[in-house]
Coordinates of all heavy atoms in Angstrom, one line a residue:
M126 N -6.4 12.3 16.4 CA -7.4 11.9 15.4 C -6.7 10.7 14.6 O -5.5 10.6 14.4 CB -7.8 13.0 14.5 CG -8.4 14.2 15.2 SD -10.1 14.3 15.0 CE -10.4 14.5 13.2
V127 N -7.6 9.9 14.1 CA -7.2 8.7 13.3 C -7.9 8.7 11.9 O -9.1 8.9 11.9 CB -7.5 7.4 14.0 CG1 -7.2 6.2 13.2 CG2 -6.8 7.3 15.4
K128 N -7.2 8.5 10.9 CA -7.7 8.3 9.5 C -7.8 6.8 9.3 O -6.8 6.1 9.6 CB -6.8 8.9 8.4 CG -6.9 10.4 8.3 CD -8.1 10.8 7.5 CE -8.0 12.3 7.3 NZ -9.1 12.8 6.5
H129 N -8.9 6.3 8.9 CA -9.2 4.9 8.6 C -9.5 4.9 7.1 O -10.5 5.4 6.6 CB -10.4 4.5 9.4 CG -10.9 3.1 9.1 ND1 -10.3 2.0 9.5 CD2 -12.1 2.7 8.6 CE1 -11.0 0.9 9.1 NE2 -12.1 1.4 8.6
I130 N -8.6 4.3 6.3 CA -8.7 4.2 4.9 C -8.8 2.7 4.5 O -8.0 1.9 4.9 CB -7.5 4.9 4.2 CG1 -7.5 6.3 4.6 CG2 -7.7 4.7 2.7 CD1 -6.3 7.1 4.1
V131 N -9.9 2.4 3.7 CA -10.1 1.1 3.3 C -10.4 1.0 1.8 O -11.2 1.9 1.3 CB -11.3 0.4 4.1 CG1 -11.4 -1.1 3.8 CG2 -11.2 0.6 5.6
M132 N -9.8 0.1 1.1 CA -10.1 -0.1 -0.3 C -10.7 -1.5 -0.5 O -10.3 -2.5 0.2 CB -8.9 0.0 -1.2 CG -8.3 1.4 -1.1 SD -7.0 1.7 -2.3 CE -6.0 0.2 -2.2
F133 N -11.6 -1.6 -1.5 CA -12.3 -2.9 -1.8 C -12.1 -3.2 -3.2 O -12.4 -2.3 -4.1 CB -13.7 -2.9 -1.4 CG -14.0 -2.7 0.1 CD1 -14.2 -1.5 0.6 CD2 -14.0 -3.8 0.9 CE1 -14.4 -1.3 2.0 CE2 -14.3 -3.7 2.3 CZ -14.5 -2.4 2.8
K134 N -11.8 -4.4 -3.5 CA -11.9 -5.0 -4.9 C -13.1 -5.9 -4.9 O -13.2 -6.8 -4.1 CB -10.6 -5.7 -5.3 CG -10.6 -6.2 -6.7 CD -9.2 -6.8 -7.0 CE -9.2 -7.2 -8.5 NZ -7.9 -7.7 -8.9
L135 N -13.9 -5.7 -5.9 CA -15.2 -6.5 -5.9 C -15.1 -7.5 -7.1 O -14.3 -7.4 -8.0 CB -16.4 -5.6 -6.2 CG -16.5 -4.5 -5.1 CD1 -17.7 -3.6 -5.5 CD2 -16.7 -5.1 -3.7
K136 N -16.0 -8.6 -6.9 CA -16.1 -9.6 -8.0 C -17.4 -9.3 -8.7 O -18.3 -8.7 -8.2 CB -16.2 -11.0 -7.3 CG -14.9 -11.4 -6.6 CD -15.0 -12.8 -6.1 CE -15.9 -12.9 -4.8 NZ -15.9 -14.2 -4.2
G137 N -17.5 -9.9 -9.9 CA -18.8 -9.8 -10.7 C -18.5 -9.0 -12.0 O -17.4 -8.6 -12.2
T138 N -19.6 -8.9 -12.7 CA -19.5 -8.1 -13.9 C -19.3 -6.6 -13.6 O -19.6 -6.2 -12.5 CB -20.8 -8.3 -14.8 OG1 -21.9 -7.6 -14.0 CG2 -21.2 -9.7 -15.0
P139 N -18.9 -5.8 -14.5 CA -18.7 -4.4 -14.3 C -20.1 -3.8 -13.8 O -20.0 -3.0 -12.8 CB -18.3 -3.8 -15.6 CG -17.6 -4.9 -16.3 CD -18.3 -6.2 -15.9
E140 N -21.2 -4.2 -14.3 CA -22.5 -3.7 -13.9 C -22.8 -4.1 -12.4 O -23.3 -3.3 -11.7 CB -23.6 -4.2 -14.8 CG -23.5 -3.6 -16.2 CD -22.5 -4.4 -17.1 OE1 -22.0 -5.5 -16.7 OE2 -22.1 -3.8 -18.2
E141 N -22.5 -5.4 -12.1 CA -22.8 -5.9 -10.7 C -21.9 -5.1 -9.8 O -22.3 -4.7 -8.7 CB -22.5 -7.4 -10.7 CG -23.5 -8.2 -11.4 CD -23.1 -9.7 -11.5 OE1 -21.9 -10.0 -11.5 OE2 -24.0 -10.5 -11.7
R142 N -20.6 -4.9 -10.1 CA -19.7 -4.2 -9.2 C -20.1 -2.8 -9.0 O -20.1 -2.3 -7.9 CB -18.3 -4.3 -9.7 CG -17.7 -5.7 -9.7 CD -16.2 -5.9 -10.0 NE -15.6 -4.8 -10.7 CZ -15.3 -4.8 -12.0 NH1 -15.6 -5.9 -12.7 NH2 -14.7 -3.8 -12.5
L143 N -20.5 -2.1 -10.1 CA -21.0 -0.8 -9.9 C -22.3 -0.7 -9.1 O -22.4 0.3 -8.3 CB -21.2 -0.2 -11.3 CG -21.6 1.3 -11.4 CD1 -20.5 2.2 -10.7 CD2 -21.8 1.8 -12.8
D144 N -23.2 -1.6 -9.2 CA -24.4 -1.6 -8.4 C -24.1 -1.8 -7.0 O -24.5 -1.0 -6.1 CB -25.3 -2.7 -8.9 CG -26.5 -2.8 -8.0 OD1 -27.3 -1.9 -7.9 OD2 -26.7 -3.9 -7.4
V145 N -23.2 -2.8 -6.6 CA -22.9 -3.0 -5.2 C -22.1 -1.8 -4.7 O -22.4 -1.4 -3.6 CB -22.0 -4.3 -5.1 CG1 -21.4 -4.5 -3.7 CG2 -22.9 -5.5 -5.5
A146 N -21.2 -1.3 -5.5 CA -20.4 -0.1 -5.0 C -21.3 1.1 -4.7 O -21.1 1.8 -3.7 CB -19.3 0.2 -6.0
G147 N -22.3 1.3 -5.6 CA -23.2 2.4 -5.4 C -24.0 2.3 -4.1 O -24.2 3.3 -3.3
R148 N -24.5 1.1 -3.9 CA -25.3 0.9 -2.7 C -24.5 1.0 -1.4 O -24.9 1.5 -0.4 CB -26.0 -0.5 -2.8 CG -27.2 -0.5 -3.8 CD -28.0 -1.8 -3.8 NE -27.2 -2.9 -4.4 CZ -26.9 -4.0 -3.7 NH1 -27.3 -4.2 -2.5 NH2 -26.2 -4.9 -4.3
F149 N -23.2 0.4 -1.5 CA -22.3 0.5 -0.4 C -21.9 1.9 -0.1 O -21.9 2.4 1.1 CB -21.1 -0.3 -0.7 CG -20.0 -0.4 0.4 CD1 -20.4 -0.9 1.6 CD2 -18.7 -0.1 0.1 CE1 -19.4 -1.0 2.6 CE2 -17.7 -0.2 1.1 CZ -18.1 -0.6 2.3
K150 N -21.6 2.7 -1.1 CA -21.3 4.1 -0.9 C -22.4 4.9 -0.2 O -22.2 5.6 0.7 CB -20.9 4.7 -2.2 CG -20.6 6.2 -2.2 CD -20.3 6.7 -3.6 CE -19.8 8.1 -3.7 NZ -20.7 9.2 -3.2
A151 N -23.6 4.7 -0.7 CA -24.8 5.4 0.0 C -24.9 5.0 1.4 O -25.2 5.9 2.3 CB -26.0 5.1 -0.8
A152 N -24.7 3.7 1.7 CA -24.9 3.3 3.1 C -23.7 3.9 4.0 O -24.0 4.3 5.1 CB -24.8 1.7 3.2
L153 N -22.5 3.9 3.5 CA -21.4 4.5 4.2 C -21.7 6.0 4.5 O -21.4 6.5 5.6 CB -20.1 4.4 3.4 CG -19.5 3.0 3.3 CD1 -18.3 3.0 2.4 CD2 -19.2 2.4 4.7
E154 N -22.2 6.7 3.5 CA -22.4 8.1 3.7 C -23.5 8.5 4.7 O -23.5 9.6 5.2 CB -22.6 8.8 2.3 CG -21.4 8.8 1.4 CD -21.6 9.2 0.0 OE1 -22.8 9.2 -0.4 OE2 -20.6 9.5 -0.7
A155 N -24.3 7.5 5.0 CA -25.3 7.7 6.0 C -24.8 7.4 7.5 O -25.5 7.7 8.4 CB -26.5 6.8 5.7
L156 N -23.6 6.9 7.6 CA -23.2 6.4 8.9 C -22.9 7.6 9.9 O -23.1 7.4 11.1 CB -21.9 5.6 8.8 CG -22.2 4.2 8.1 CD1 -20.8 3.4 8.0 CD2 -23.2 3.4 8.8
P157 N -22.4 8.7 9.5 CA -22.1 9.7 10.5 C -23.3 10.1 11.4 O -23.2 10.5 12.6 CB -21.6 10.9 9.7 CG -21.0 10.3 8.5 CD -21.9 9.2 8.2
A158 N -24.5 10.0 10.8 CA -25.7 10.4 11.6 C -26.1 9.2 12.5 O -26.9 9.4 13.4 CB -26.9 10.6 10.6
Q159 N -25.5 8.1 12.4 CA -25.8 6.9 13.2 C -24.7 6.5 14.2 O -25.0 5.8 15.1 CB -26.1 5.7 12.2 CG -27.2 6.0 11.2 CD -27.3 4.9 10.2 OE1 -27.6 3.7 10.6 NE2 -27.1 5.2 9.0
I160 N -23.5 6.9 13.9 CA -22.4 6.4 14.8 C -21.7 7.6 15.4 O -21.0 8.4 14.7 CB -21.4 5.6 14.0 CG1 -22.1 4.4 13.3 CG2 -20.2 5.1 14.8 CD1 -21.2 3.6 12.4
D161 N -21.8 7.8 16.7 CA -21.4 9.0 17.4 C -19.9 9.2 17.2 O -19.4 10.4 17.1 CB -21.7 8.9 18.9 CG -23.2 9.1 19.1 OD1 -23.9 9.6 18.2 OD2 -23.6 8.7 20.2
V162 N -19.0 8.2 17.2 CA -17.6 8.3 17.2 C -17.1 8.7 15.8 O -15.9 9.1 15.7 CB -16.8 7.1 17.7 CG1 -17.2 6.8 19.1 CG2 -17.1 5.9 16.8
L163 N -17.9 8.6 14.8 CA -17.5 8.8 13.4 C -17.6 10.3 13.1 O -18.6 10.9 13.1 CB -18.4 8.1 12.5 CG -18.0 8.0 11.0 CD1 -16.6 7.5 10.8 CD2 -19.0 7.1 10.2
R164 N -16.4 11.0 13.0 CA -16.4 12.4 12.7 C -16.7 12.7 11.3 O -17.3 13.7 11.0 CB -15.0 13.0 13.1 CG -14.6 12.8 14.6 CD -15.5 13.6 15.5 NE -15.4 13.2 16.9 CZ -16.4 12.8 17.6 NH1 -17.6 12.8 17.1 NH2 -16.3 12.4 18.8
S165 N -16.2 11.9 10.4 CA -16.5 12.1 9.0 C -16.2 10.8 8.2 O -15.5 10.0 8.7 CB -15.6 13.2 8.4 OG -14.2 12.8 8.4
I166 N -16.8 10.8 7.0 CA -16.6 9.6 6.1 C -16.8 10.1 4.7 O -17.6 10.9 4.4 CB -17.5 8.4 6.5 CG1 -16.9 7.2 5.8 CG2 -18.9 8.7 6.1 CD1 -17.5 5.9 6.3
E167 N -15.9 9.6 3.9 CA -16.0 9.9 2.4 C -15.8 8.6 1.7 O -14.9 7.8 2.1 CB -14.9 10.9 2.0 CG -14.9 11.3 0.6 CD -13.8 12.3 0.2 OE1 -13.1 12.7 1.1 OE2 -13.7 12.5 -1.0
A168 N -16.7 8.3 0.7 CA -16.6 7.1 0.0 C -16.5 7.5 -1.5 O -17.2 8.4 -2.0 CB -17.7 6.2 0.2
G169 N -15.7 6.7 -2.3 CA -15.6 7.0 -3.7 C -15.6 5.7 -4.5 O -15.1 4.6 -4.0
I170 N -16.2 5.7 -5.7 CA -16.2 4.6 -6.6 C -15.1 4.9 -7.7 O -15.1 6.0 -8.3 CB -17.6 4.4 -7.2 CG1 -18.6 4.1 -6.1 CG2 -17.6 3.3 -8.3 CD1 -20.0 4.1 -6.5
N171 N -14.3 4.0 -8.0 CA -13.2 4.1 -8.9 C -13.8 4.4 -10.3 O -14.6 3.7 -10.8 CB -12.3 2.9 -9.0 CG -11.1 3.1 -9.9 OD1 -10.7 4.2 -10.2 ND2 -10.6 2.0 -10.3
A172 N -13.3 5.5 -10.9 CA -13.7 5.9 -12.3 C -12.7 5.6 -13.3 O -12.9 5.8 -14.5 CB -14.0 7.4 -12.3
N173 N -11.5 5.0 -12.9 CA -10.4 4.7 -13.8 C -10.4 3.2 -14.1 O -10.0 2.4 -13.3 CB -9.1 5.1 -13.1 CG -7.9 4.9 -14.0 OD1 -8.0 4.3 -15.1 ND2 -6.8 5.5 -13.6
P174 N -10.8 2.9 -15.3 CA -10.9 1.4 -15.7 C -9.5 0.8 -15.7 O -9.4 -0.5 -15.7 CB -11.6 1.4 -17.0 CG -11.4 2.8 -17.6 CD -11.3 3.7 -16.4
A175 N -8.4 1.5 -15.7 CA -7.1 0.9 -15.7 C -6.7 0.5 -14.4 O -5.7 -0.2 -14.2 CB -6.1 2.0 -16.3
E176 N -7.4 0.8 -13.3 CA -7.1 0.4 -12.0 C -8.0 -0.7 -11.5 O -9.1 -0.9 -12.0 CB -7.3 1.6 -11.0 CG -6.3 2.7 -11.3 CD -4.8 2.3 -11.2 OE1 -4.5 1.4 -10.4 OE2 -4.0 3.0 -11.8
S177 N -7.6 -1.5 -10.6 CA -8.3 -2.7 -10.2 C -9.1 -2.6 -8.9 O -9.9 -3.5 -8.7 CB -7.3 -3.9 -10.1 OG -6.4 -3.7 -9.1
W178 N -9.0 -1.6 -8.1 CA -9.8 -1.4 -6.9 C -11.0 -0.7 -7.2 O -11.0 0.2 -8.1 CB -9.0 -0.7 -5.8 CG -7.8 -1.6 -5.4 CD1 -6.6 -1.7 -5.9 CD2 -7.8 -2.5 -4.3 NE1 -5.8 -2.6 -5.3 CE2 -6.5 -3.1 -4.2 CE3 -8.8 -2.9 -3.4 CZ2 -6.2 -4.1 -3.3 CZ3 -8.4 -3.9 -2.4 CH2 -7.2 -4.5 -2.4
D179 N -12.2 -1.1 -6.6 CA -13.5 -0.5 -7.0 C -14.0 0.6 -6.1 O -14.6 1.5 -6.5 CB -14.5 -1.7 -7.0 CG -14.2 -2.7 -8.0 OD1 -14.4 -2.4 -9.2 OD2 -13.8 -3.8 -7.7
V180 N -13.7 0.5 -4.8 CA -14.3 1.4 -3.8 C -13.3 1.8 -2.8 O -12.5 0.9 -2.3 CB -15.5 0.8 -3.1 CG1 -16.2 1.8 -2.1 CG2 -16.6 0.3 -4.0
V181 N -13.3 3.0 -2.3 CA -12.4 3.5 -1.2 C -13.2 4.3 -0.3 O -14.2 4.9 -0.7 CB -11.2 4.3 -1.8 CG1 -11.6 5.6 -2.4 CG2 -10.2 4.6 -0.6
L182 N -12.9 4.1 1.0 CA -13.5 5.0 2.0 C -12.5 5.5 2.9 O -11.4 4.9 3.2 CB -14.6 4.2 2.9 CG -14.1 3.2 3.9 CD1 -13.9 3.9 5.3 CD2 -15.1 2.1 4.1
T183 N -12.7 6.8 3.3 CA -11.8 7.5 4.3 C -12.7 7.9 5.4 O -13.6 8.7 5.2 CB -11.1 8.6 3.6 OG1 -10.3 8.2 2.5 CG2 -10.1 9.3 4.6
A184 N -12.4 7.5 6.6 CA -13.2 7.9 7.8 C -12.3 8.5 8.8 O -11.1 8.2 8.8 CB -13.9 6.7 8.4
T185 N -12.8 9.4 9.6 CA -12.0 10.0 10.6 C -12.7 9.8 12.0 O -13.9 10.1 12.1 CB -11.9 11.6 10.4 OG1 -11.3 11.8 9.1 CG2 -11.0 12.2 11.4
V186 N -11.9 9.4 13.0 CA -12.4 9.2 14.3 C -11.4 9.8 15.3 O -10.3 10.1 14.8 CB -12.7 7.7 14.7 CG1 -13.8 7.1 13.8 CG2 -11.4 6.9 14.5
D187 N -11.7 9.9 16.5 CA -10.8 10.5 17.5 C -9.6 9.6 17.9 O -8.5 10.1 18.1 CB -11.5 11.0 18.7 CG -12.4 12.2 18.4 OD1 -12.1 13.0 17.5 OD2 -13.4 12.4 19.2
T188 N -9.9 8.3 18.1 CA -8.9 7.4 18.7 C -8.9 6.1 18.0 O -9.9 5.7 17.3 CB -9.1 7.2 20.2 OG1 -10.3 6.4 20.3 CG2 -9.2 8.5 21.0
M189 N -7.8 5.3 18.2 CA -7.8 4.0 17.6 C -8.9 3.1 18.2 O -9.5 2.3 17.5 CB -6.4 3.3 17.9 CG -5.3 3.8 17.0 SD -5.6 3.6 15.2 CE -5.7 1.9 15.0
A190 N -9.2 3.4 19.5 CA -10.3 2.6 20.1 C -11.7 2.9 19.4 O -12.5 2.0 19.3 CB -10.4 3.0 21.6
D191 N -11.8 4.1 18.9 CA -13.0 4.5 18.2 C -13.1 3.8 16.8 O -14.2 3.5 16.3 CB -13.1 6.0 17.9 CG -13.3 6.8 19.2 OD1 -13.9 6.2 20.2 OD2 -13.0 8.0 19.2
V192 N -12.0 3.4 16.2 CA -12.0 2.6 15.0 C -12.8 1.3 15.3 O -13.6 0.8 14.5 CB -10.6 2.3 14.5 CG1 -10.7 1.3 13.3 CG2 -9.9 3.6 14.1
E193 N -12.5 0.6 16.4 CA -13.1 -0.6 16.8 C -14.6 -0.4 17.1 O -15.5 -1.2 16.7 CB -12.5 -1.2 18.0 CG -13.0 -2.6 18.3 CD -12.1 -3.4 19.3 OE1 -11.0 -3.0 19.6 OE2 -12.7 -4.3 19.9
V194 N -15.0 0.7 17.8 CA -16.4 1.0 18.0 C -17.1 1.2 16.7 O -18.2 0.6 16.5 CB -16.5 2.3 18.9 CG1 -17.9 2.8 19.0 CG2 -15.9 2.1 20.3
Y195 N -16.5 1.9 15.8 CA -17.1 2.1 14.5 C -17.3 0.8 13.7 O -18.3 0.5 13.2 CB -16.2 3.1 13.7 CG -16.3 3.0 12.2 CD1 -17.4 3.5 11.5 CD2 -15.3 2.4 11.4 CE1 -17.5 3.4 10.1 CE2 -15.4 2.3 10.1 CZ -16.5 2.8 9.4 OH -16.5 2.7 8.0
A196 N -16.2 -0.1 13.8 CA -16.2 -1.3 13.0 C -17.3 -2.3 13.5 O -17.9 -3.0 12.8 CB -14.9 -2.0 13.1
K197 N -17.6 -2.2 14.8 CA -18.6 -3.2 15.4 C -20.0 -2.6 15.5 O -20.9 -3.3 15.9 CB -18.1 -3.6 16.8 CG -16.8 -4.4 16.8 CD -16.4 -4.8 18.2 CE -15.2 -5.6 18.2 NZ -14.7 -6.0 19.5
H198 N -20.1 -1.4 15.2 CA -21.5 -0.7 15.3 C -22.4 -1.4 14.3 O -22.1 -1.7 13.1 CB -21.4 0.8 14.9 CG -22.6 1.5 15.3 ND1 -23.7 1.5 14.4 CD2 -22.9 2.3 16.3 CE1 -24.7 2.2 15.0 NE2 -24.2 2.7 16.1
P199 N -23.7 -1.7 14.7 CA -24.6 -2.4 13.8 C -24.9 -1.7 12.5 O -25.0 -2.4 11.5 CB -25.9 -2.5 14.7 CG -25.4 -2.4 16.1 CD -24.2 -1.5 16.0
A200 N -24.8 -0.4 12.4 CA -25.1 0.3 11.2 C -23.9 0.1 10.2 O -24.1 -0.1 9.0 CB -25.3 1.8 11.4
H201 N -22.7 0.0 10.8 CA -21.5 -0.3 9.9 C -21.5 -1.7 9.5 O -21.2 -2.0 8.3 CB -20.2 0.0 10.7 CG -19.0 -0.4 9.9 ND1 -18.4 -1.6 10.2 CD2 -18.3 0.2 8.9 CE1 -17.3 -1.7 9.4 NE2 -17.3 -0.7 8.6
V202 N -21.9 -2.6 10.4 CA -21.9 -4.0 10.0 C -23.0 -4.2 8.9 O -22.7 -5.0 7.9 CB -22.3 -4.9 11.2 CG1 -22.6 -6.4 10.8 CG2 -21.1 -4.8 12.2
A203 N -24.1 -3.6 8.9 CA -25.1 -3.7 7.9 C -24.6 -3.1 6.6 O -24.8 -3.7 5.5 CB -26.4 -2.9 8.3
A204 N -23.9 -2.0 6.6 CA -23.3 -1.4 5.4 C -22.3 -2.4 4.8 O -22.3 -2.6 3.6 CB -22.6 -0.1 5.7
A205 N -21.4 -2.9 5.6 CA -20.4 -3.9 5.1 C -21.1 -5.1 4.5 O -20.5 -5.7 3.5 CB -19.5 -4.3 6.2
A206 N -22.2 -5.5 5.0 CA -22.9 -6.7 4.5 C -23.4 -6.5 3.0 O -23.6 -7.5 2.3 CB -24.1 -7.1 5.4
I207 N -23.5 -5.3 2.6 CA -23.9 -5.0 1.2 C -22.9 -5.6 0.3 O -23.3 -6.0 -0.8 CB -24.1 -3.5 1.0 CG1 -25.3 -3.0 1.8 CG2 -24.2 -3.1 -0.5 CD1 -25.4 -1.5 1.9
L208 N -21.7 -5.6 0.6 CA -20.7 -6.2 -0.2 C -20.9 -7.7 -0.4 O -20.6 -8.2 -1.5 CB -19.3 -5.9 0.3 CG -18.9 -4.4 0.4 CD1 -17.5 -4.3 1.0 CD2 -18.9 -3.7 -0.9
G209 N -21.3 -8.3 0.6 CA -21.6 -9.8 0.5 C -20.6 -10.6 -0.2 O -19.4 -10.4 0.0
E210 N -21.0 -11.4 -1.1 CA -20.1 -12.3 -1.8 C -19.4 -11.6 -2.9 O -18.5 -12.2 -3.6 CB -20.9 -13.5 -2.3 CG -21.5 -14.4 -1.3 CD -22.2 -15.6 -1.8 OE1 -22.1 -15.9 -3.0 OE2 -22.8 -16.3 -1.0
N211 N -19.7 -10.3 -3.1 CA -19.0 -9.6 -4.2 C -17.6 -9.1 -3.7 O -16.8 -8.6 -4.6 CB -19.8 -8.4 -4.6 CG -21.1 -8.8 -5.4 OD1 -22.1 -9.0 -4.8 ND2 -20.9 -8.9 -6.7
K212 N -17.3 -9.1 -2.4 CA -16.0 -8.7 -1.9 C -15.0 -9.7 -2.3 O -15.0 -10.8 -1.9 CB -16.1 -8.4 -0.4 CG -14.8 -7.9 0.1 CD -14.9 -7.5 1.6 CE -15.0 -8.7 2.4 NZ -15.0 -8.4 3.9
E213 N -14.0 -9.2 -3.0 CA -12.8 -10.1 -3.4 C -11.6 -9.8 -2.4 O -11.1 -10.7 -1.9 CB -12.4 -9.9 -4.8 CG -11.3 -10.8 -5.2 CD -11.0 -10.7 -6.7 OE1 -11.8 -10.2 -7.5 OE2 -9.9 -11.1 -7.1
L214 N -11.3 -8.5 -2.3 CA -10.1 -8.1 -1.5 C -10.5 -6.9 -0.7 O -11.3 -6.1 -1.1 CB -8.9 -7.9 -2.4 CG -8.3 -9.0 -3.1 CD1 -7.2 -8.5 -4.1 CD2 -7.7 -10.0 -2.1
R215 N -9.8 -6.8 0.5 CA -9.9 -5.6 1.3 C -8.5 -5.2 1.8 O -7.8 -6.1 2.2 CB -10.8 -5.9 2.5 CG -10.9 -4.7 3.5 CD -11.7 -5.2 4.8 NE -11.8 -4.2 5.8 CZ -10.9 -3.9 6.7 NH1 -9.8 -4.6 6.8 NH2 -11.1 -3.0 7.6
A216 N -8.2 -3.9 1.7 CA -7.0 -3.4 2.2 C -7.3 -2.2 3.1 O -8.1 -1.4 2.8 CB -6.0 -2.9 1.1
C217 N -6.6 -2.1 4.3 CA -6.9 -1.1 5.2 C -5.6 -0.5 5.8 O -4.7 -1.2 6.1 CB -7.7 -1.7 6.4 SG -8.1 -0.5 7.7
V218 N -5.6 0.8 6.1 CA -4.6 1.5 6.8 C -5.3 2.4 7.8 O -6.2 3.2 7.4 CB -3.6 2.3 5.8 CG1 -2.6 3.1 6.6 CG2 -2.9 1.4 4.9
D219 N -4.8 2.4 9.0 CA -5.3 3.3 10.1 C -4.0 4.1 10.5 O -3.0 3.5 10.9 CB -5.9 2.6 11.3 CG -7.1 1.8 10.9 OD1 -8.0 2.4 10.2 OD2 -7.3 0.7 11.3
Y220 N -4.1 5.4 10.5 CA -2.9 6.2 11.0 C -3.4 7.4 11.7 O -4.5 7.9 11.5 CB -2.0 6.6 9.8 CG -2.6 7.5 8.8 CD1 -2.5 8.9 8.9 CD2 -3.3 7.0 7.7 CE1 -3.0 9.7 7.9 CE2 -3.9 7.8 6.7 CZ -3.7 9.2 6.8 OH -4.3 10.0 5.9
E221 N -2.5 7.8 12.6 CA -2.8 9.0 13.5 C -2.4 10.3 12.7 O -1.4 10.3 12.1 CB -2.1 8.9 14.8 CG -2.7 7.7 15.6 CD -2.1 7.6 17.0 OE1 -1.0 8.2 17.3 OE2 -2.6 6.8 17.8
I222 N -3.3 11.3 12.9 CA -3.0 12.6 12.3 C -2.9 13.6 13.3 O -3.3 13.5 14.5 CB -4.0 13.0 11.2 CG1 -5.4 13.0 11.8 CG2 -3.9 12.1 10.0 CD1 -6.5 13.5 10.8

């Protein structure tokens, strides 16, 4: 199994970032019903104003090849598009468990 962890730092006012983060989180949480290789996904919005990253997601798939299937799936691409021009930075780690 593979854990796919991604963090996003967003641009905009705090209100804009919270709005985008909320819509993105909802779209991510709908993905397991749409993407067969996705075993689970959890998304969280940062509640700590002392930290600079806004959103984190943790997904689980069976193989590294499944990470690519997930990444290219139209439902995932649509979810990622929600971030649009608000995305400032992205950090990702994929590791086998």
Side-chain angles (χ1 to χ4, degrees):
M126 300 255 298
V127 176
K128 285 278 189 180
H129 172 72
I130 301 174
V131 187
M132 295 189 316
F133 295 92
K134 183 175 183 177
L135 303 177
K136 297 184 281 188
T138 67
E140 295 80 15
E141 290 169 336
R142 293 192 336 262
L143 185 58
D144 174 63
V145 170
R148 290 186 288 119
F149 182 54
K150 179 180 185 295
L153 291 172
E154 290 172 343
L156 293 180
Q159 302 171 62
I160 304 175
D161 290 341
V162 299
L163 190 55
R164 299 292 165 238
S165 67
I166 194 164
E167 180 179 355
I170 298 172
N171 185 19
N173 184 348
E176 297 297 334
S177 61
W178 293 86
D179 296 289
V180 183
V181 64
L182 76 90
T183 303
T185 305
V186 296
D187 289 334
T188 67
M189 286 301 297
D191 289 339
V192 173
E193 188 170 341
V194 171
Y195 157 76
K197 293 181 178 179
H198 192 281
H201 173 262
V202 172
I207 292 169
L208 298 177
E210 294 183 10
N211 291 88
K212 182 173 71 174
E213 182 175 344
L214 294 172
R215 176 187 179 274
C217 178
V218 174
D219 295 315
Y220 63 92
E221 293 183 347
I222 54 174

